[in-house]
Amino acid sequence: MVKLLARPILKILLVVILCLGLGSCAGVGSKPPEAAIATAIAQKLERTQSLLARQLSVSQTTLPHLEVHRVIISHYQWTTLDRPTTGHPRVVQVQGTYQLKGGGLSRRQQHQNRPFKLYLEPPASQEGKDWVGIELATAPSDP
């Protein structure tokens, strides 16, 4: 009788342990949220604007404020980067298009689909930081 009860309990316990184990790996292999991608694109635009402002000796306050919207992901894949000193070696490469609004853009310019290619590092844990955009100095290695 005890053996008959122990088997279903062990099966349930095994399923629970597997679910918890797989849930903790949710960042690896998953697709980054659209908001994280839009944030990474916006940060890259801000860095580019800052660089241009310095090169042109223009105040950053005179630069237009642009908003990223309508992010469309056409492709994403996990890859490994050779970053021995910092960060997670597995990152996701995301490609697609986005649109901008604001900053005095014409209607035509606002509807223009702009391509992007980003590398994002997954959060360290589910409760941890958000996905982080990565600037590459070298090309990634194949997985």
Side-chain angles (χ1 to χ4, degrees), residues 58-76:
V58 176
S59 170
Q60 283 191 274
T61 57
T62 61
L63 296 175
H65 175 71
L66 301 171
E67 295 177 35
V68 174
H69 71 117
R70 295 195 183 176
V71 174
I72 298 171
I73 300 168
S74 60
H75 177 75
Y76 79 97

Side-chain angles (χ1 to χ4, degrees), residues 64-126:
H65 175 71
L66 301 171
E67 295 177 35
V68 174
H69 71 117
R70 295 195 183 176
V71 174
I72 298 171
I73 300 168
S74 60
H75 177 75
Y76 79 97
Q77 80 177 51
W78 284 88
T79 188
T80 302
L81 297 180
D82 184 21
R83 300 186 309 153
T85 56
T86 63
H88 199 284
R90 296 281 293 164
V91 298
V92 65
Q93 175 191 355
V94 184
Q95 291 177 286
T97 60
Y98 67 96
Q99 294 179 354
L100 291 174
K101 62 181 185 177
L105 295 173
S106 70
R107 183 176 297 260
R108 182 171 177 246
Q109 289 171 324
Q110 289 184 21
H111 292 316
Q112 180 181 0
N113 289 323
R114 294 165 167 82
F116 71 88
K117 181 178 180 179
L118 296 171
Y119 292 89
L120 295 165
E121 181 178 301
S125 68
Q126 288 179 328

